[in-house]
Amino acid sequence: MRYLVWFSRVFVGVLFIISGLIKLNDPVGFSFKLEEYFSQGVLDLPFLMPLALGISIFVVILEVVLGVFLLLGFKPRFTVWSLLLMIVFFTFLTFYSAYFNKVTDCGCFGDAIKLTPWESFTKDIILLVFVLILFKGQRFIKPLFQTRTSWILAGITVLACAIFANHVLNHLPSVDFRPYKIGANIQEGMSVPEDAPKPIYEYAWQFKVNGEDKVVVTNGEYPSVDGEFVGVETTEIQKGYEPPIHDFTIEQNGEDLSAQLLEEDKLVMVIAYDLAKSNQEVFEDVAVVTKKAASNGYKVIGMSASSIDRANAIREEHDLDFDFYFTDETALKTIVRSNPAILVLERGTIQQKVHYNDIDKLKL
């Protein structure tokens, strides 16, 4: 039991630290995932949606801290109870998502490692087993250092997490795991290789044969049945290849102009997924830098999921000398974790990406 507890201690501690740090690198992205869980179509807790970012930061810092506490053997009773309550909650959440097909990606490891709902649930079941081992063998969890040293290391962990969270919130994630990272080409991200796996469908053909219902299942071919055809139900049993970027458009008046605009040699995108939630004061700086970009030969466009009326109002209020195009809100949230933000592209390749606090660092 002693060795089993030691293995569980290291395994659970390291996994919680890795999972927490990945999400701590992008707490805004994790807050978007929490908003999805809190939405009416999932847990129906809309009153928690405005608190999603605060909850996100608390949860990811707690994950890292509990992982460190476990490895140090510091406050074992508190640590093990906290781990148990957290993993029970996460196991329920991932099972609910998987069984009812509510949230297709739990966000357990941010954008670094994508897990299907059932993979997430399986991962949590395995973790739950190891946490239960720790719970049963608490007496074998001995501190690595004296109490004073453990308190110092615990304090350093909390302080370091808080400083890092503040940095990424006021700038951008230190490591970008998304398909829109600097150096990525958007057109290439949307392309599908010729040899990519195709989706596989199952077809349930319904017939009336001698007055009775008959169902024949095939993978596509029409069955030879001597009866009256009633209908067919199609089920995707195996997903095909999905390109990293699959929901990106730049629309105006219902027309997708992304292919044309992504061929621009010098393109500046001002991205604001929701103009009502944008930092309004920053648009004064946006106006200055975009006029400079236009004078240097850049094509400047705005991209938002907000209405045309709101976009026009923002343009007039802040003297913005460019047009806004419509893009899906989820895509814009994925592109950059800032509202607003600015991207610089060269023929579809992202050259620069800055948070609104770093607009002065743009090189035009």
Side-chain angles (χ1 to χ4, degrees):
M1 186 65 180
R2 186 190 308 274
Y3 294 110
L4 193 57
V5 169
W6 258 105
F7 177 82
S8 302
R9 177 178 172 179
V10 173
F11 178 77
V12 173
V14 170
L15 196 63
F16 263 72
I17 291 172
I18 292 174
S19 173
L21 286 176
I22 289 174
K23 292 195 290 289
L24 188 60
N25 174 66
D26 185 14
V28 174
F30 186 50
S31 74
F32 292 153
K33 186 58 61 178
L34 290 180
E35 287 179 358
E36 192 175 349
Y37 276 113
F38 296 150
S39 65
Q40 292 183 343
V42 186
L43 296 178
D44 195 17
L45 299 171
F47 66 93
L48 289 177
M49 293 180 71
L51 306 175
L53 181 58
I55 296 173
S56 164
I57 295 169
F58 173 78
V59 169
V60 296
I61 290 180
L62 182 61
E63 271 193 81
V64 176
V65 169
L66 289 177
V68 171
F69 277 21
L70 185 61
L71 292 180
L72 293 176
F74 183 57
K75 300 287 184 183
R77 183 175 175 82
F78 164 78
T79 301
V80 173
W81 267 103
S82 299
L83 288 170
L84 181 61
L85 292 174
M86 182 175 283
I87 197 61
V88 166
F89 174 72
F90 284 154
T91 302
F92 158 75
L93 207 58
T94 52
F95 172 77
Y96 180 85
S97 297
Y99 187 80
F100 294 101
N101 196 29
K102 292 292 186 179
V103 180
T104 56
D105 174 23
C106 72
C108 305
F109 295 98
D111 291 291
I113 303 174
K114 295 289 188 178
L115 297 177
T116 66
W118 285 115
E119 287 173 344
S120 301
F121 175 67
T122 303
K123 179 264 298 179
D124 285 340
I125 288 293
I126 294 171
L127 264 178
L128 179 59
V129 170
F130 284 109
V131 172
L132 288 173
I133 292 171
L134 292 170
F135 188 81
K136 184 174 178 59
Q138 289 182 55
R139 66 186 183 278
F140 296 114
I141 302 177
K142 305 298 182 183
L144 296 181
F145 305 102
Q146 295 181 350
T147 303
R148 178 183 175 83
T149 304
S150 295
W151 271 111
I152 292 173
L153 292 173
I156 291 173
T157 300
V158 175
L159 181 61
C161 287
I163 292 173
F164 184 58
N166 181 69
H167 173 75
V168 296
L169 284 172
N170 287 288
H171 302 281
L172 290 177
S174 296
V175 181
D176 194 345
F177 295 105
R178 287 155 292 154
Y180 298 95
K181 59 181 176 290
I182 292 176
N185 183 277
I186 295 177
Q187 296 101 313
E188 291 178 2
M190 292 191 290
S191 63
V192 178
E194 292 184 4
D195 58 347
K198 302 291 190 294
I200 298 176
Y201 297 95
E202 188 176 79
Y203 299 83
W205 306 88
Q206 302 171 32
F207 296 89
K208 280 282 187 183
V209 180
N210 298 324
E212 296 182 358
D213 292 330
K214 181 176 182 180
V215 177
V216 179
V217 177
T218 72
N219 290 120
E221 66 276 9
Y222 187 84
S224 299
V225 176
D226 187 13
E228 178 188 353
F229 173 69
V230 177
V232 61
E233 290 185 4
T234 305
T235 304
E236 186 179 40
I237 59 174
Q238 181 177 310
K239 288 187 174 294
Y241 174 82
E242 184 176 73
I245 300 175
H246 52 271
D247 54 359
F248 180 87
T249 60
I250 308 176
E251 299 179 18
Q252 192 173 66
N253 299 323
E255 182 182 0
D256 184 6
L257 303 173
S258 55
Q260 172 187 333
L261 290 169
L262 291 176
E263 288 299 321
E264 292 282 346
D265 290 325
K266 301 170 73 175
L267 179 66
V268 167
M269 292 179 174
V270 178
I271 294 180
Y273 71 88
D274 187 340
L275 290 168
K277 297 179 180 179
S278 297
N279 186 326
Q280 300 297 315
E281 297 177 359
V282 176
F283 282 110
E284 301 298 327
D285 296 328
V286 170
V288 173
V289 76
T290 52
K291 287 175 182 175
K292 177 184 176 183
S295 66
N296 288 348
Y298 285 85
K299 168 78 173 178
V300 181
I301 62 173
M303 294 170 60
S304 178
S306 299
S307 67
I308 291 295
D309 291 340
R310 183 173 290 277
N312 289 336
I314 292 289
R315 285 186 60 201
E316 293 179 10
E317 182 179 354
H318 299 286
D319 190 28
L320 301 177
D321 194 20
F322 56 85
D323 293 328
F324 273 93
Y325 294 75
F326 177 83
T327 303
D328 177 72
E329 182 172 326
T330 301
L332 294 177
K333 287 179 175 179
T334 304
I335 292 171
V336 65
R337 307 301 199 199
S338 175
N339 186 25
I342 295 181
L343 272 65
V344 178
L345 294 87
E346 180 181 320
R347 298 186 68 83
T349 299
I350 300 172
Q351 303 293 331
Q352 299 178 67
K353 178 196 290 191
V354 297
H355 190 281
Y356 59 73
N357 286 327
D358 298 317
I359 288 177
D360 58 334
K361 296 181 181 179
L362 276 174
K363 299 177 182 178
L364 299 170

